[in-house]
DNA sequence: ATTATAATATGATAAATATCATATTTAAGA
DNA sequence: TCTTAAATATGATATTTATCATATTATAAT
């Protein structure tokens, strides 16, 4: 459903959301392992997200990545959109230019409600909330 | 959400479902254009589906592809599964080996209901039904 | 039987994703 | 100010997915 890049981005950001803050930055080498993503790859992804201001970073000694309070207010949908331009969920399942009821593809009726619900939730769920669940052990990050 | 291969497969099969039958076979070159998929590519996909008995074919003059009455009873889910082994919808959004409530990933709670509904519908919707909608002009095939 | 037609099998090329590697820049601390 | 530690920028390689091309096999019609 998501590309590896998106999955990796979500995992890394949630890891940061749960275990970092401005006074507790985390280095690439300490992120890559716990979320089980190649170091150089997650570096590239986080650098991209940093450029787009979805995560915060500081270089040099004592530097690293972290989520600011502001970053924590972000939602999953924005994150997904940031790493892969188009939106694989809201777009038409069969690649019509627009997904809407007035010109529905063959799968539209069967899927649009679920797609809408999912989109809605991805937009309203903040990173902070998900991080909370993680810290409480209610959820896990793969591998 | 789906790969091009899956989208192409669905489009081709629904086209056949709507406009072919045993006494009215359709050749590759007459399928590729209306569904707007590269000819050699859709050929490869249909050949694969034919091998797996999800579509029917006959070679030589007057040959071509078509859906038998039996093929028409197939559902979209089986089609998707046939062209891409793993199931992008039912599998865990963050790649846990199993998607289930007892060991949920961070996105599980927010998505599992919708994933289940979608899966359910993909399984219970037959090609015949979708073809009917197409023929009645209720739905369209992209491009 | 021979010919023409259409799928089939197979392999080659191109484009997109994912992964790896490294030189450069910024900032902390001695 | 010098050294060291970290992100940043950039590019190279590998893998997967998509696309293109063609020789082979089966079958209908003559
Ligand atoms: S038009 Fe295709 S999913 Fe809505
Ligand atoms: S466990 Fe990840 S989606 Fe269910």
């Amino acid at each position: 459903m998501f590309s590896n890049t998106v999955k990796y981005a979500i995992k890394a950001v949630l890891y940061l959301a749960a275990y970092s803050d401005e006074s507790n930055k985390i280095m690439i080498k300490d992120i890559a392992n716990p979320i089980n993503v190649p170091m150089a790859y997650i570096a590239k992804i986080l650098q991209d997200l940093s450029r787009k201001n979805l995560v915060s970073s500081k270089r040099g000694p004592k530097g690293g990545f972290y989520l600011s309070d502001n970053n924590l207010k972000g939602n999953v949908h924005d994150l997904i959109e940031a790493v892969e331009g188009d939106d694989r969920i809201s777009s038409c399942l069969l690649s019509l230019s627009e997904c809407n009821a007035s010109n529905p593809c063959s799968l539209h009726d069967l899927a649009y409600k679920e797609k809408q619900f999912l989109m809605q939730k991805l937009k309203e769920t903040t990173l902070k909330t998900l991080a909370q669940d993680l810290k409480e052990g209610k959820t896990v990050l793969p591998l």
Side-chain angles (χ1 to χ4, degrees), chain A:
Chain A
M1 192 125 156
F2 295 133
S3 64
N4 277 1
T5 304
V6 166
K7 288 175 188 172
Y8 293 172
I10 294 174
K11 291 205 289 179
V13 168
L14 290 182
Y15 186 78
L16 289 174
Y19 306 117
S20 81
D21 59 47
E22 176 136 25
S23 61
N24 191 6
K25 309 187 183 71
I26 307 183
M27 294 183 292
I28 280 298
K29 66 184 171 83
D30 295 325
I31 297 176
N33 211 50
I35 64 174
N36 194 43
V37 172
M39 195 166 93
Y41 198 13
I42 199 56
K44 201 167 235 182
I45 293 170
L46 282 176
Q47 284 164 21
D48 179 44
L49 290 175
S50 176
R51 232 174 289 122
K52 292 169 177 164
N53 295 313
L54 295 184
V55 309
S56 304
S57 66
K58 182 100 173 210
R59 47 181 159 183
K62 296 281 171 186
F65 291 91
Y66 65 99
L67 291 210
S68 66
D69 287 351
N70 205 31
N71 293 150
L72 279 171
K73 292 177 190 151
N75 62 64
V76 190
H77 180 261
D78 288 350
L79 181 56
I80 295 171
E81 225 175 25
V83 314
E84 65 179 19
D86 62 328
D87 195 316
R88 283 156 99 136
I89 292 171
S90 63
S91 66
C92 169
L93 287 178
L94 294 181
S95 299
L96 283 177
S97 50
E98 289 282 317
C99 168
N100 62 55
S102 61
N103 189 46
C105 77
S106 292
L107 299 184
H108 180 87
D109 280 7
L110 147 175
Y112 83 105
K113 205 176 286 180
E114 281 69 29
K115 291 200 308 173
Q116 279 313 110
F117 280 149
L118 190 48
M119 283 295 291
Q120 178 64 24
K121 290 199 192 164
L122 287 173
K123 281 181 182 169
E124 73 191 15
T125 307
T126 70
L127 303 176
K128 190 167 189 167
T129 307
L130 294 177
Q132 194 58 36
D133 290 347
L134 245 188
K135 278 192 283 190
E136 290 171 5
K138 289 190 197 163
T139 57
V140 302
L141 284 185
L143 290 212

